[in-house]
Amino acid sequence: MNVLWLQRLSCCGNTHSLLNCDTFNSLLKEVNFLFHPSLSIENEEEIINKVLEGSLKLDLFILEGAVRINDEKVKELCYTANYVMAVGSCAVYGNIPALKDNYVCGLQYRFKEKGGLLGEDFVSKGGLPVINLSGCPAHPEWIVGVIRSLARGIKPALDSWGRPKEFYSSLTHWGCTRNEYFEWKIEPESLGSKKGCLFYNYGCRGPMTYSSCNTILWNGVNSKTRAGTPCFGCTEFDFPRVGLFETKQFAGLPAELPIGVSKRGYIMLSGIAKMFAPERLKVED
Ligand code: SF4
């Protein structure tokens, strides 16, 4: 499978993520990177021209970074490739580069508005919309996993945001080692504490964010919440937000409740939980 990876308005974070993947070397035995800005010595423009002329077949086009709405070259490549993948939240939603520039967007979204560079009805030659791997950056195992699936002829099932369900159908909260503290409403003493749930004071968005960060660990060992830092919700369209380390409150309640939890249910359960929390969970780090 021939893969072309280009960067536009990007910090290269997704490239760093990719290069951290344990299984990246084995992927290189299955796919052929026609061009990648950090791996190739070829001339980018020459490769692009060969692809657009038809002398090089393009199976998968990957974009890292947000694009300007008049980027015809990226558009042409998307219509030439069998499959198109946006890697990282900038390529998916526009994200940070789009915050102060109305002419910047993602491949098929601009924040929550469907459309982006390619329009809401875009479907690639292989029959899929843009495969969106959101995240800041996207997890290396998600990137490599999707490339490998496509190379083996398996199309990923996508959610309503174009994200592969295999990686985005569960909440970050699932698999977090702090779940018991969440249930009993026990807060950590400070950022970096080994105990306590970061939802109540430190703005953790794990219960409102779809990602598999706590079930497919980073570098096989860690995640933000395991390290004592809140989930910032970087896989969702409204990232980044202000006040990443604080829980906004209204009348003593978190402004946003976990997905599926009613205000009434939260008030009833959280009051009781705190009152009856087991002593063993209250011990210091
Ligand atoms: S730290 Fe975040 S992800 Fe972990 S249990 Fe608390 S709310 Fe859920």
Side-chain angles (χ1 to χ4, degrees):
M1 185 172 83
N2 280 346
V3 180
L4 174 64
W5 178 305
L6 290 190
Q7 289 169 335
R8 284 301 190 252
L9 302 165
S10 143
C11 68
C12 310
N14 292 281
T15 287
H16 285 271
S17 181
L18 173 76
L19 298 179
N20 265 320
C21 188
D22 282 348
T23 53
F24 181 58
N25 280 344
S26 68
L27 178 77
L28 293 178
K29 293 181 186 140
E30 283 190 63
V31 305
N32 173 39
F33 273 83
L34 296 173
F35 183 82
H36 183 292
S38 300
L39 299 172
S40 306
I41 53 169
E42 289 82 3
N43 180 291
E44 178 178 323
E45 283 304 309
E46 279 175 22
I47 299 289
I48 292 173
N49 289 338
K50 282 185 187 168
V51 166
L52 295 179
E53 287 160 14
S55 56
L56 271 180
K57 184 167 74 83
L58 180 57
D59 298 297
L60 173 62
F61 173 57
I62 301 177
L63 183 76
E64 173 179 13
V67 277
R68 297 199 68 77
I69 54 169
N70 58 358
D71 196 326
E72 291 303 319
K73 192 158 279 176
V74 166
K75 208 184 243 185
E76 252 187 285
L77 287 166
C78 292
Y79 279 98
T80 305
N82 250 351
Y83 298 105
V84 176
M85 189 160 114
V87 67
S89 287
C90 294
V92 175
Y93 308 116
N95 200 21
I96 293 171
L99 275 179
K100 294 199 170 164
D101 190 334
N102 291 338
Y103 296 96
V104 169
C105 57
L107 280 183
Q108 213 166 10
Y109 280 91
R110 189 173 191 285
F111 298 106
K112 68 175 172 185
E113 302 300 328
K114 208 163 179 196
L117 178 76
L118 299 170
E120 56 182 309
D121 297 325
F122 171 83
V123 175
S124 69
K125 281 182 179 170
L128 289 180
V130 176
I131 301 167
N132 283 328
L133 289 188
S134 58
C136 188
H139 193 300
E141 297 289 347
W142 309 343
I143 305 173
V144 169
V146 174
I147 298 175
R148 203 187 295 277
S149 295
L150 291 171
R152 294 176 184 181
I154 303 164
K155 286 190 200 179
L158 305 177
D159 71 7
S160 59
W161 292 89
R163 303 177 299 192
K165 287 184 181 172
E166 185 179 352
F167 303 119
Y168 295 87
S169 60
S170 59
L171 295 170
T172 316
H173 184 65
W174 293 21
C176 178
T177 48
R178 297 169 188 268
N179 269 303
E180 207 178 3
Y181 298 98
F182 175 83
E183 286 158 20
W184 295 106
K185 211 179 170 206
I186 294 175
E187 295 145 25
E189 298 203 328
S190 60
L191 287 171
S193 289
K194 293 197 184 89
K195 295 174 179 172
C197 168
L198 299 136
F199 175 75
Y200 302 104
N201 279 345
Y202 287 110
C204 184
R205 298 192 61 85
M208 291 86 90
T209 301
Y210 285 95
S211 91
S212 44
C213 289
N214 271 315
T215 48
I216 303 174
L217 297 177
W218 290 71
N219 294 327
V221 291
N222 215 348
S223 70
K224 274 204 186 76
T225 58
R226 281 170 200 234
T229 301
C231 162
F232 294 150
C234 72
T235 55
E236 304 297 340
F237 74 87
D238 54 350
F239 175 81
R241 304 165 200 86
V242 288
L244 291 175
F245 290 95
E246 63 193 58
T247 304
K248 287 192 189 65
Q249 311 252 353
F250 288 121
L253 282 183
E256 275 185 76
L257 294 177
I259 290 175
V261 174
S262 69
K263 201 186 268 186
R264 188 159 165 255
Y266 180 86
I267 293 170
M268 281 176 70
L269 289 176
S270 62
I272 295 170
K274 192 149 193 167
M275 205 179 304
F276 293 103
E279 285 302 316
R280 68 185 162 79
L281 295 178
K282 295 181 188 166
V283 290
E284 291 172 7
D285 274 357

